[in-house]
Amino acid sequence: MSSLSSLRSELNYWNNQVNELNNKIIRLKRRRSDVEGVKNALRSVASANAGDVNNKLRLSGGKLDSAIDYSGQDGRLQAILSRKDERTLGSDSNLTSSDSELQRELNDVNRKITEAENALAAAKRKVSDLKAAIAAEERREREAARRK
């Protein structure tokens, strides 16, 4: 059986591991929350701004059309403005790429959280086992002292 001092030293090490893993999980969850916030903001802002720009384009097109009032040219103005719509998150390659990168980051953070939680569970089991071993060693030593 191991000595009490080595068991206590090992217990101290694993208690520190538990604390470090808890802190790591907190940091990773904070990171996940931050990335989710950026991802949601990207979606919201991109959609709102695209809708805003497109509404203004249509409104401007209507005003130009009524101001010009040149018969036979209505279709030409609409053709010019129709391809000028601001694109949204699914149709703009830069926005879509940004969204994909954020999703990759989220997946990576979630994987790291799972790994840290598994390591934490293992560390907690080790702490529990060491506490039981210390209690058994203390009982053994008390029994040996009584026999003397």
Side-chain angles (χ1 to χ4, degrees):
M1 189 61 67
S2 298
S3 72
L4 271 176
S5 63
S6 67
L7 287 172
R8 287 184 176 132
S9 175
E10 196 175 348
L11 177 62
N12 187 42
Y13 169 80
W14 285 104
N15 277 328
N16 286 336
Q17 289 297 106
V18 166
N19 289 335
E20 286 178 23
L21 288 165
N22 276 324
N23 291 335
K24 182 178 184 176
I25 290 168
I26 288 168
R27 283 191 313 274
L28 287 168
K29 286 183 176 180
R30 194 175 302 132
R31 172 76 177 160
R32 178 176 59 191
S33 178
D34 290 346
V35 173
E36 285 172 340
V38 170
K39 193 170 178 354
N40 290 336
L42 175 67
R43 287 180 180 273
S44 175
V45 168
S47 295
N49 287 348
D52 220 19
V53 167
N54 292 337
N55 286 338
K56 288 179 181 175
L57 277 172
R58 284 190 256 314
L59 182 64
S60 298
K63 287 181 179 180
L64 275 172
D65 186 40
S66 63
I68 294 172
D69 198 29
Y70 186 71
S71 66
Q73 298 302 313
D74 297 348
R76 178 180 267 175
L77 180 61
Q78 291 307 317
I80 291 170
L81 294 177
S82 69
R83 294 193 179 109
K84 303 298 181 201
D85 280 356
E86 184 66 25
R87 293 184 283 173
T88 58
L89 190 60
S91 60
D92 183 292
S93 62
N94 291 327
L95 290 173
T96 302
S97 175
S98 297
D99 187 60
S100 296
E101 286 299 320
L102 289 168
Q103 186 59 53
R104 274 193 280 285
E105 177 68 14
L106 270 179
N107 294 343
D108 185 51
V109 169
N110 284 330
R111 179 188 53 77
K112 287 178 181 177
I113 288 172
T114 299
E115 289 172 358
E117 287 173 339
N118 290 339
L120 177 62
K124 284 181 175 180
R125 282 191 301 276
K126 190 69 175 168
V127 165
S128 179
D129 292 346
L130 285 166
K131 285 180 179 179
I134 288 170
E137 183 64 18
E138 286 173 340
R139 278 192 305 276
R140 190 190 67 71
E141 285 183 4
R142 278 193 306 272
E143 290 296 319
R146 271 191 220 138
R147 280 186 245 137
K148 288 184 181 181

